């Protein structure tokens, strides 16, 4: 089946026509160079300025010897500089690896080594002391220049996004220009984005949600407004900001929308210009969605669904009249030209289509995760009811903690390496704040303390991966076939509460 | 009051920090307190201390540490 969206943007702009993911943006640069592209606090950047800054960075990367397809890490928080860096990387023909600066150094340096990153772009203010100097590129040190044009075929990699890996270490999902374009061009059409739109952006660039903000929004000639970093913790000021900025659309996570619904003073803050809200990454509890829909009667609401490997593969335009508090909402219909099917035996959701990532990034190469005929088995349990898909949780061990994927194996690998630990197992416990939290069952070989374990985990893993409960056991319970009895461990934690 | 808040936060919202060594000025947001956590914390504090904490005052400056939480709750009319 033809899955190649190459050519979708073809009759386009000068010598950049082959830069597929940025082609719509480059077209807008020609059409309306002085229109507002990005705004962060009071700093405003036009399409022309953004392109110029991206070209400057691309030229600096090329001067550092970057070759097409090589990974470049972004050591910057979301914002104008980070967006310019991402675009610069793409113009140079390389692919970007956005870092989560909240990660401990151990995890960041693992990712930089695992991705075989050739350059790390950042700013002097937050230069990582632990990084090899030869990799560093200070964004402020780049001098204005025009990069050499490079050919970027549709299948070349645009981004490597790291998530938790079932192999016990962070794992990079390698995503092509074609895959991101397939999603963003679909989303742009679904939401009828125009240059008049003013879109809020709060997703970190290491989450795939950000591809909508960067490529659908700027490809449509609209402006992107970065939500100031303190605002997600100040819901009334957040709604006032959305109102004052006349934001017309926002793709964000359910926890933030629930906070806004209940604490955002929406009754006093009309948000009349807000055309749409999209949410993804977690399940939005239906009672919160009902209240949100009532507060924003004019706003179209969308539930997007899909793991990083597929970007968005399924979506549901929220039908307000069908919302029932006791019922979870559907994940809906296939999105962006994807095909979905459910494995009859296991109930697992399988996806194939143009938004699929190329594979996992391993040893400097792409390793496919697809079957011979192009299907990706998501590990999600789903059902099909009246032509709508519904999500029923995970088949495997993966947890979703505060919106982040957490593979128990990644925590177990670190714990098993601690002297004195004989065995361990991580399970997920339901949690009203985070959705799920890891819980750690341990068997000690010799005297060791939980305090010590906690110290090591704090040093190596981000906050959302830290176990919420510890249980020291004589031995881990096993099933008749010798495998760990995770259900039994789960029960022990439950009865411990 | 700080003890009550601390017990709730470290039993229900943040698990990985050692409550004993966590100081009254230490940053709760950096320790992992997120928007859902703040919502539950406010519900708890309003019930426990019989105050109303206005939505418009939910700010990093008011929820960022045990000290700032305490002074926010006292400003909001806690008579205890």
């Amino acid at each position: 089946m033809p899955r190649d969206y190459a050519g979708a943007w073809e009759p386009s702009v000068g010598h950049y026509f082959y830069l597929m993911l940025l082609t719509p943006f480059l077209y807008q640069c020609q059409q309306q160079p002085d229109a507002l592209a990005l705004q962060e606090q009071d700093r405003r950047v036009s399409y022309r300025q953004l392109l110029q800054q991206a070209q400057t960075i691309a030229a600096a990367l090329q001067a550092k010897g970057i070759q097409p397809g090589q990974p470049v890490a972004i050591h910057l928080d979301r914002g104008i500089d980070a967006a310019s860096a991402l675009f610069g990387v793409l113009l140079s023909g390389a692919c970007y690896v956005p870092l989560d600066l909240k990660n401990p150094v151990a995890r960041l340096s693992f990712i930089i080594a695992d991705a075989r990153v050739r350059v790390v772009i950042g700013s002097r203010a937050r230069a990582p002391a632990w990084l090899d100097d030869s990799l560093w590129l200070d964004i402020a040190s780049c001098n204005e220049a025009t990069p050499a044009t490079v050919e970027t075929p549709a299948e070349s990699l645009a981004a490597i996004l790291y998530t938790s890996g079932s192999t016990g270490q962070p794992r990079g999902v390698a995503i092509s220009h074609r895959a991101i374009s397939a999603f963003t061009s679909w989303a742009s059409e679904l939401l009828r984005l125009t240059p008049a739109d003013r879109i809020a952006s709060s997703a970190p660039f290491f989450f795939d949600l950000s591809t909508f903000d960067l490529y659908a929004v700027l490809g449509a000639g609209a402006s992107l407004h970065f939500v100031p970093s303190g605002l997600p913790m100040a819901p009334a000021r957040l709604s006032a900001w959305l109102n004052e900025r006349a934001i017309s659309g926002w793709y964000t996570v359910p926890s933030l929308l629930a906070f806004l619904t209940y604490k955002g003073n929406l009754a006093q803050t009309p948000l009349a210009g807000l055309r749409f809200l999209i949410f993804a990454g977690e399940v939005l509890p239906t009672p919160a969605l009902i209240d949100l829909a009532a507060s924003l009667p004019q706003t179209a609401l969308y539930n997007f669904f899909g793991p990083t490997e597929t970007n968005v593969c399924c979506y549901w335009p929220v039908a307000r009249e069908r919302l029932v508090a006791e019922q979870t909402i559907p994940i809906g219909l296939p999105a962006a030209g994807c095909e979905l099917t459910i494995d009859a035996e296991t109930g697992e959701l399988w996806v194939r289509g143009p938004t699929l990532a190329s594979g996992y990034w391993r040893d400097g190469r792409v390793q496919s995760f697809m079957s011979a005929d192009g299907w990706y088995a998501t590990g999600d349990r789903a059902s099909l009811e009246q032509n709508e898909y519904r999500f029923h949780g995970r088949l495997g061990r993966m947890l979703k903690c505060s919106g982040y994927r957490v593979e128990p194996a990644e925590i177990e690998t670190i714990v098993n390496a601690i002297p004195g630990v004989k065995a361990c197992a991580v399970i997920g416990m339901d949690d009203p704040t985070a959705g799920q939290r890891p819980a750690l069952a341990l068997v000690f070989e010799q005297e060791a303390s939980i305090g010590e374990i906690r110290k090591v985990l704090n040093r190596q893993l981000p906050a959302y991966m830290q176990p919420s409960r510890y249980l020291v056991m004589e031995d881990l319970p096993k099933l008749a076939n010798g495998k760990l009895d995770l259900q039994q461990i789960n029960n022990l934690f439950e009865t411990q509460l | 009051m700080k003890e009550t808040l601390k017990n709730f936060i470290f039993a229900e919202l943040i698990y990985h920090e050692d409550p004993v060594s966590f100081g009254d000025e230490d940053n709760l947001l950096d320790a992992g307190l997120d928007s859902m956590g703040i919502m539950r914390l406010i519900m708890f504090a309003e019930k426990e201390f019989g105050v109303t904490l206005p939505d418009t005052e939910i700010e990093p400056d008011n929820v960022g540490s045990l000290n700032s939480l305490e002074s926010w709750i006292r400003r909001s009319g806690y008579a205890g």
Side-chain angles (χ1 to χ4, degrees):
Chain A
M1 186 167 299
R3 300 255 162 243
D4 200 342
Y5 269 45
W9 300 104
E10 212 153 2
S12 60
V13 283
H15 56 290
Y16 276 125
F17 72 92
Y18 38 77
L19 281 171
M20 220 184 49
L21 182 49
L22 283 186
T23 301
F25 161 73
L26 294 165
Y27 174 75
Q28 297 298 342
C29 289
Q30 280 199 337
Q31 290 296 302
Q32 41 159 36
D34 297 314
L36 178 66
L38 303 174
Q39 186 165 355
E40 179 183 1
Q41 306 279 14
D42 293 332
R43 190 174 160 205
R44 296 160 60 90
V45 167
S46 68
Y47 275 79
R48 186 204 310 273
Q49 290 166 321
L50 175 57
L51 176 59
Q52 197 169 51
Q53 182 60 13
Q55 285 177 323
T56 295
I57 293 166
L61 287 168
Q62 289 172 344
K64 259 181 109 60
I66 274 289
Q67 297 295 312
Q70 288 181 340
V72 173
I74 311 294
H75 190 274
L76 294 161
D77 277 326
R78 67 185 178 85
I80 289 176
D81 286 343
S84 314
L86 258 51
F87 281 29
V89 170
L90 294 178
L91 284 180
S92 80
C95 72
Y96 60 81
V97 185
L99 300 173
D100 179 355
L101 301 195
K102 286 204 179 101
N103 272 343
V105 171
R107 203 155 195 265
L108 290 177
S109 49
F110 173 87
I111 290 172
I112 284 172
D114 184 73
R116 305 195 178 189
V117 160
R118 302 304 174 98
V119 174
V120 178
I121 303 180
S123 80
R124 198 170 307 151
R126 288 184 77 176
W130 45 268
L131 187 76
D132 177 356
D133 273 349
S134 65
L135 294 178
W136 183 248
L137 178 63
D138 184 343
I139 193 165
S141 75
C142 304
N143 296 316
E144 205 178 313
T146 308
T149 51
V150 285
E151 205 154 323
T152 308
E155 293 303 324
S156 25
L157 297 186
I160 303 173
L161 304 184
Y162 272 80
T163 68
S164 189
S166 55
T167 49
Q169 279 160 333
R171 183 162 61 181
V173 179
I175 310 174
S176 66
H177 281 247
R178 180 260 309 151
I180 298 176
S181 297
F183 163 65
T184 53
S185 56
W186 169 83
S188 181
E189 228 169 273
L190 174 77
L191 297 155
R192 301 182 187 287
L193 294 178
T194 75
D197 274 308
R198 302 166 60 86
I199 308 299
S201 175
S202 55
F205 294 164
F206 52 83
F207 274 148
D208 56 9
L209 269 74
S210 63
T211 59
F212 174 82
D213 297 349
L214 293 166
Y215 310 110
V217 172
L218 295 178
S223 60
L224 193 65
H225 301 257
F226 292 107
V227 176
S229 57
L231 284 199
M233 296 297 173
R237 266 203 297 141
L238 175 58
S239 60
W241 181 88
L242 292 168
N243 199 39
E244 282 154 22
R245 279 288 176 99
I247 295 299
S248 62
W250 187 22
Y251 182 13
T252 184
V253 289
S255 54
L256 216 48
L257 289 182
F259 200 31
L260 199 66
T261 303
Y262 292 118
K263 298 288 172 190
N265 204 22
L266 286 179
Q268 269 76 53
T269 320
L271 303 185
L274 191 63
R275 293 201 297 115
F276 67 84
L277 277 176
I278 311 167
F279 50 90
E282 298 160 279
V283 178
L284 179 56
T286 312
L289 179 56
I290 290 172
D291 292 336
L292 178 68
S295 303
L296 301 172
Q298 305 299 326
T299 306
L301 306 168
Y302 295 87
N303 181 23
F304 279 11
F305 176 87
T308 306
E309 286 86 342
T310 69
N311 203 330
V312 172
C313 63
C314 214
Y315 79 111
W316 190 57
V318 173
R320 288 159 197 260
E321 69 285 359
R322 286 179 46 202
L323 296 175
V324 181
E326 301 75 32
Q327 248 178 47
T328 57
I329 59 170
I331 53 174
L333 315 163
C338 285
E339 285 177 85
L340 306 181
T341 188
I342 294 172
D343 183 271
E345 221 164 278
T346 59
E348 185 175 21
L349 180 68
W350 289 39
V351 183
R352 77 175 170 188
T355 66
L356 254 62
S358 307
Y360 297 119
W361 185 247
R362 192 160 296 158
D363 303 327
R365 278 204 322 253
V366 172
Q367 187 179 66
S368 174
F369 48 58
M370 280 173 265
S371 67
D373 48 358
W375 292 99
Y376 168 64
T378 60
D380 293 320
R381 275 194 311 122
S383 64
L384 183 60
E385 292 161 35
Q386 278 140 27
N387 293 321
E388 281 175 347
Y389 287 88
R390 288 179 174 272
F391 171 68
H392 303 289
R394 293 285 305 173
L395 276 167
R397 297 180 63 197
M398 191 188 95
L399 314 178
K400 205 71 184 269
C401 308
S402 302
Y404 291 81
R405 277 162 68 157
V406 174
E407 287 288 355
E410 213 186 307
I411 305 168
E412 289 165 0
T413 303
I414 291 171
V415 175
N416 280 326
I418 300 172
V421 173
K422 188 173 167 196
C424 75
V426 169
I427 55 123
M429 295 192 71
D430 290 342
D431 181 274
T433 316
Q436 279 182 306
R437 302 253 200 197
L440 174 62
L442 279 159
V443 180
F444 287 131
E445 202 163 44
Q446 62 202 55
E447 204 65 19
S449 76
I450 286 181
E452 189 52 39
I453 307 285
R454 196 183 259 163
K455 224 182 272 170
V456 174
L457 289 176
N458 263 332
R459 218 165 35 229
Q460 304 213 29
L461 295 173
Y464 60 85
M465 291 183 89
Q466 304 294 333
S468 63
R469 310 259 178 234
Y470 290 80
L471 184 62
V472 179
M473 309 178 72
E474 291 282 307
D475 218 343
L476 296 177
K478 301 252 167 67
L479 295 165
N481 63 9
K483 283 189 176 171
L484 280 180
D485 188 347
L486 296 168
Q487 189 54 50
Q488 166 81 9
I489 296 173
N490 211 70
N491 296 343
L492 287 169
F493 272 108
E494 295 289 347
T495 53
Q496 193 202 27
L497 284 179
Chain B
M1 179 193 294
K2 264 188 295 224
E3 212 46 45
T4 311
L5 289 169
K6 192 173 188 175
N7 287 340
F8 176 77
I9 290 170
F10 289 98
E12 295 285 337
L13 306 179
I14 300 173
Y15 299 98
H16 59 281
E17 293 278 349
D18 180 8
V20 180
S21 62
F22 196 89
D24 294 347
E25 276 297 323
D26 285 351
N27 193 317
L28 289 165
L29 304 175
D30 288 347
L33 183 65
D34 59 9
S35 55
M36 297 309 278
I38 293 171
M39 262 205 318
R40 289 184 63 209
L41 177 59
I42 289 169
M43 273 164 60
F44 170 80
E46 287 185 333
K47 196 160 158 230
E48 184 72 22
F49 304 113
V51 293
T52 300
L53 300 167
D55 293 352
T56 50
E57 292 178 18
I58 305 171
E59 288 283 339
D61 283 352
N62 284 334
V63 300
S65 72
L66 290 165
N67 278 344
S68 56
L69 270 170
E70 183 185 48
S71 65
W72 184 33
I73 293 165
R74 290 199 186 281
R75 275 204 314 280
S76 304
Y78 176 61

